[in-house]
Amino acid sequence: MNAKIYEGIHRQEQGGMTPTANIIRDAWVFGIIPEDETCEGWTVQGIESLYDKVSDAWMPYGHLASNLPPELRERHARIYAEAVERARMAGWDPELDEND
């Protein structure tokens, strides 16, 4: 049985604008993993474990970026702005849905 292996946030479809990539970006925001960790080669179980840690980190803030303290809010804004720019350069169009 082959384990599914994650391709890495910068190699992911849609320019990395996916739920899995959001987990990774949020892990960067909270310092759970370093910002240069792309999770390339991680198993599904590793990503699920990261999701649990990210979810726990969000809890005190009600899962809202607007509730983050200034340092985390600024890091969140920077990381997500860079992600949107990278995704657009890769051809991602936020106006299209999965059926377009």
Side-chain angles (χ1 to χ4, degrees):
M1 180 170 136
N2 289 335
K4 183 169 169 135
I5 302 298
Y6 181 63
E7 67 266 45
I9 191 169
H10 299 310
R11 294 179 183 209
Q12 199 173 21
E13 62 185 38
Q14 301 176 38
M17 300 308 279
T18 66
T20 300
N22 286 340
I23 293 166
I24 295 166
R25 281 189 281 275
D26 287 353
W28 293 342
V29 169
F30 289 108
I32 298 168
I33 58 174
E35 287 187 45
D36 61 352
E37 174 59 71
T38 66
C39 300
E40 183 176 343
W42 284 33
T43 63
V44 171
Q45 294 83 3
I47 297 293
E48 287 174 351
S49 176
L50 186 62
Y51 172 84
D52 291 341
K53 292 173 186 173
V54 166
S55 184
D56 289 345
W58 270 114
M59 263 191 225
Y61 310 107
H63 297 266
L64 296 171
S66 60
N67 289 341
L68 292 170
E71 179 184 333
L72 291 178
R73 193 175 330 119
E74 290 168 12
R75 188 178 311 150
H76 182 277
R78 176 183 55 79
I79 288 170
Y80 276 84
E82 289 171 3
V84 168
E85 180 63 27
R86 177 186 284 261
R88 285 188 171 160
M89 288 175 31
W92 174 72
D93 184 348
E95 299 298 319
L96 299 177
D97 66 19
E98 291 181 22
N99 297 322
D100 289 337

